[in-house]
């Protein structure tokens, strides 16, 4: 995400201020010219002239990288551009939860999926234990391996401001629904979180009546 603020006293150049994962290499490239951060502290300042710049960071082994483009015009001279670079976060994959998530409230983690069944006629949620800093991420992807319901039901996935048992979300996607006994599999939901600064990952399910049950199995949750 890129923002601009005034920089007092800067006349001939603009500043690109970059926050990136500590321990990474950070560069600012325009054409044949490459500026490199002095260290791997996670914060760098680049003094630049008008032009288009690719701001990039990567791990020392090049296993992860992230970049964004910043355009500086002549009217931007004397201003600062704030850039935040964040690598993808595999919140959950095939039974493995990233430590940043802090585990899950409710739900059952097996060797392959995050599984949840609120019970007949009930509603409930699965939430990350930790509230995540989402600045720098642009989307979250949920891959539902299997969703089975005995009747009309509601299931949503997304980001919530709380980890309580309700259906409130900052942003979310609703899973497919069907009447009577039904099931679906291999469903991918991608949600834009560009404007979300922080929140809990939440999965919410609600059975439609006292005899109906819903069972959802998720094998991948990815933040990018």
């Amino acid at each position: 995400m890129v923002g601009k603020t005034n920089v007092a006293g800067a006349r001939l150049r603009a500043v690109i201020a970059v926050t990136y994962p500590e321990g990474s290499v950070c560069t600012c490239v325009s054409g044949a010219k490459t500026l490199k951060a002095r260290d791997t502290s996670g914060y760098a300042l680049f003094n630049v002239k008008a032009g288009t710049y690719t701001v990039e960071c990567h791990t020392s082994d090049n296993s992860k990288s992230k970049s964004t483009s910043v355009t500086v015009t002549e009217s931007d001279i004397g201003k600062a551009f704030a850039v935040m670079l964040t690598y993808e976060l595999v919140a959950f994959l095939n039974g493995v939860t990233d430590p940043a998530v802090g585990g899950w409230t409710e739900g059952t983690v097996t060797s392959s999926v995050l599984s949840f069944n609120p019970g007949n006629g009930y509603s409930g949620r699965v939430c990350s234990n930790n509230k995540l800093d989402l600045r720098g991420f642009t989307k979250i992807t949920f891959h539902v391996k299997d969703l089975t319901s005995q009747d009309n039901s509601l299931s949503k996935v997304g980001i919530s401001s709380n980890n309580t048992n309700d259906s409130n979300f900052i942003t979310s996607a609703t899973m497919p629904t069907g009447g009577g006994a039904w099931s679906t599999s291999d469903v991918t939901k991608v949600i834009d979180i560009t404007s979300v600064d922080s929140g809990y990952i939440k999965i919410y399910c609600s059975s439609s009546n006292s005899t109906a049950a819903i069972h959802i199995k998720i094998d991948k949750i990815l933040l990018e």
Side-chain angles (χ1 to χ4, degrees):
M1 293 185 292
V2 178
K4 292 188 288 186
T5 57
N6 288 325
V7 177
R11 295 181 178 179
L12 301 178
R13 294 178 180 268
V15 174
I16 300 177
V18 189
T19 302
Y20 59 94
E22 186 176 349
S24 300
V25 177
C26 182
T27 58
C28 181
V29 180
S30 180
K33 187 173 183 179
T34 298
L35 303 175
K36 185 176 180 181
R38 295 179 179 179
D39 52 37
T40 59
S41 64
Y43 186 72
L45 293 175
F46 298 107
N47 293 309
V48 298
K49 297 180 179 180
T52 299
Y53 297 85
T54 299
V55 183
E56 188 257 2
C57 68
H58 63 265
T59 55
S60 57
D61 61 359
N62 288 309
S63 61
K64 293 182 179 181
S65 65
K66 189 67 177 288
S67 65
T68 191
S69 179
V70 179
T71 298
V72 180
T73 67
E74 291 293 343
S75 63
D76 292 323
I77 297 301
K79 296 179 180 179
F81 293 75
V83 174
M84 177 174 284
L85 300 176
T86 306
Y87 300 134
E88 69 176 23
L89 172 64
V90 184
F92 184 85
L93 180 63
N94 297 329
V96 179
T97 301
D98 189 278
V101 175
W104 304 95
T105 299
E106 306 297 339
T108 301
V109 176
T110 69
S111 60
S112 59
V113 297
L114 175 59
S115 180
F116 181 59
N117 183 352
N120 295 354
Y122 290 96
S123 63
R125 87 318 188 190
V126 178
C127 280
S128 60
N129 285 330
N130 292 342
K131 189 174 187 179
L132 302 175
D133 183 351
L134 301 175
R135 293 172 298 173
F137 293 108
T138 60
K139 63 182 178 179
I140 182 170
T141 301
F142 293 83
H143 182 260
V144 178
K145 187 174 183 179
D146 179 70
L147 175 63
T148 303
S149 177
Q150 295 177 345
D151 207 336
N152 290 326
S153 57
L154 171 68
S155 53
K156 298 170 70 176
V157 295
I159 300 295
S160 176
S161 61
N162 64 68
N163 61 353
T164 57
N165 187 16
D166 60 41
S167 59
N168 295 330
F169 286 82
I170 299 172
T171 183
S172 66
T174 301
M175 298 300 300
T177 58
W182 64 279
S183 65
T184 187
S185 60
D186 193 27
V187 177
T188 299
K189 292 292 183 179
V190 182
I191 305 168
D192 183 355
I193 58 171
T194 305
S195 61
V196 182
D197 289 338
S198 64
Y200 296 90
I201 299 172
K202 179 182 279 189
I203 302 148
Y204 176 83
C205 295
S206 176
S207 301
S208 60
N209 59 61
S210 60
T211 61
I214 182 171
H215 197 179
I216 189 169
K217 298 178 180 179
I218 294 177
D219 58 5
K220 184 177 183 179
I221 304 173
L222 175 66
L223 287 155
E224 299 176 272

